[in-house]
Amino acid sequence: MKIGLALGGGAARGLAHIGVLQVLERERIPIHIIVGCSIGALIGGVYAQTRSIAAVKEVAARMLKSEAVEKMGLDFMSEEGLRLPKDAGIEDIFNYLKFHFSLIKVFNRPYFFDPELVDELFRFISTARIEGFPIRFAAVATDLIAAEEVLIQKGPLRDAVRASSAIPGVFPPLKKDQRLLVDGSSTNTVPALEVRNLGADGVIAVDVSKDIHRIGKLDNALNILYRVDEIASHLLTRQRLHAADVIIRPHVGHVVWADFDRMEELIQKGVDAAESMLPAIERMLGASPWMRRWRTVSKFFKGFLRK
């Protein structure tokens, strides 16, 4: 039985994917296929290449502690940065003005951050070719020119992750093979069907999307645009998840997309959610007698070695 994993997009919330992978590895649940979107492509790609949770954590930590992240100042680009608190201090006012004046950039060019800065951020991702990985891997991106979803299954991992993570208007699109590629979340938030189409018999999907019920005052055009985007993303995610056999939903929907400094907390959220869904995963695996015997034997030896 081939098990596939669909890792959804969600920026900082996607750090919970690490915790999910940690539990699946600990429980010896075999993963044969991984398809990721945005940060799901980053975490899933590194794991597909290395089969190592430690390697995934190292790459994520190095990226988040890099000078590139500090220069980007992603914290002031969060949705909360659109509003000035009533009890705002000097720092709050500075960040608020910094964000709004910085928006002027996008009226004269197609992205917020310079390509050189983005190159610096993604230099921690390997350039090894996807087709040589021990776990079959693919990343979802969106082609702005053809207006269609693109499944990247070949080429350097760094290019695949960059394309799948290129937030429209924020990171520069990736030009590749007559395509102009941006974040896969624009067309496919949780690529469960793609995992199925690549040959998985059982599909585990990890949804780290934002809580739809969170809503502030719709008192300006930007807030309304954010709300419309939330609704569209929510409905798209629901549709895509129909292809999954098991859906893992870490309790991270309330987390702001730029809260990357909560890495350990978010990883633990992934661990908790994956552990709560182990019975459902066991039922899915139960369709294979060979797999059931293997799980029983591996659990016995794992328990014996702990004694």
Side-chain angles (χ1 to χ4, degrees):
M1 183 179 189
K2 287 187 177 181
I3 305 299
L5 191 61
L7 301 180
R13 295 186 295 273
L15 293 171
H17 291 319
I18 299 175
V20 172
L21 284 167
Q22 191 171 305
V23 171
L24 297 180
E25 184 179 274
R26 184 194 72 200
E27 296 297 317
R28 298 180 181 273
I29 296 170
I31 301 299
H32 303 91
I33 301 166
I34 298 177
V35 180
C37 173
S38 197
I39 191 168
L42 190 160
I43 291 172
V46 176
Y47 187 78
Q49 178 195 7
T50 64
R51 284 183 173 174
S52 167
I53 294 296
V56 176
K57 286 184 177 180
E58 181 182 358
V59 170
R62 291 179 69 185
M63 291 183 72
L64 296 179
K65 293 177 182 178
S66 67
E67 291 184 9
V69 168
E70 186 176 347
K71 291 176 183 176
M72 287 178 175
L74 294 176
D75 54 341
F76 79 83
M77 292 191 67
S78 66
E79 180 182 350
E80 280 68 14
L82 294 172
R83 306 187 184 93
L84 188 63
K86 293 181 179 179
D87 57 346
I90 296 297
E91 185 176 358
D92 293 320
I93 295 173
F94 174 77
N95 285 335
Y96 180 82
L97 293 174
K98 182 181 178 183
F99 176 80
H100 284 78
F101 278 114
S102 295
L103 284 178
I104 296 173
K105 290 182 180 180
V106 302
F107 290 107
N108 298 312
R109 62 181 188 176
Y111 44 78
F112 191 91
F113 293 119
D114 295 327
E116 295 77 16
L117 186 58
V118 177
D119 286 341
E120 185 180 342
L121 175 65
F122 285 95
R123 66 185 175 88
F124 300 100
I125 305 296
S126 170
T127 57
R129 296 186 66 85
I130 292 171
E131 55 267 37
F133 289 0
I135 297 176
R136 188 173 184 182
F137 173 73
V140 176
T142 303
D143 182 4
L144 292 177
I145 296 175
E148 63 185 16
E149 175 186 316
V150 177
L151 193 64
I152 305 173
Q153 303 182 61
K154 296 181 180 180
L157 175 61
R158 185 181 298 171
D159 287 353
V161 172
R162 276 203 56 173
S164 186
S165 306
I167 306 170
V170 179
F171 289 171
L174 182 73
K175 296 180 180 180
K176 187 177 181 66
D177 301 330
Q178 307 302 314
R179 295 182 181 276
L180 195 61
L181 302 176
V182 295
D183 197 320
S185 296
S186 302
T187 51
N188 197 341
T189 48
V190 189
L193 181 59
E194 284 63 33
V195 174
R196 180 83 64 189
N197 290 340
L198 288 181
D201 302 302
V203 178
I204 302 171
V206 186
D207 177 16
V208 291
S209 55
K210 182 180 179 180
D211 288 343
I212 188 65
H213 63 267
R214 292 187 69 233
I215 184 170
K217 292 182 179 179
L218 299 176
D219 52 5
N220 62 58
L222 283 176
N223 287 341
I224 291 174
L225 288 172
Y226 262 108
R227 185 59 176 175
V228 170
D229 182 67
E230 283 181 336
I231 294 170
S233 178
H234 174 72
L235 295 177
L236 179 61
T237 299
R238 284 175 56 185
Q239 180 185 23
R240 296 292 185 172
L241 286 172
H242 287 315
D245 297 296
V246 176
I247 303 172
I248 298 175
R249 290 189 173 94
H251 184 55
V252 296
H254 61 288
V255 176
V256 176
W257 73 270
D259 263 350
F260 288 98
D261 58 346
R262 299 169 66 176
M263 181 173 176
E264 291 303 323
E265 175 191 346
L266 293 170
I267 290 175
Q268 186 57 48
K269 295 288 187 183
V271 170
D272 295 340
E275 289 180 338
S276 71
M277 294 304 295
L278 283 176
I281 295 173
E282 290 283 1
R283 286 194 294 273
M284 180 183 70
L285 294 174
S288 168
W290 179 88
M291 185 61 67
R292 187 162 55 245
R293 288 195 295 271
W294 163 249
R295 296 277 294 146
T296 301
V297 172
S298 65
K299 279 187 175 182
F300 170 79
F301 279 107
K302 185 167 61 175
F304 178 78
L305 292 173
R306 285 176 178 173
K307 293 180 179 180

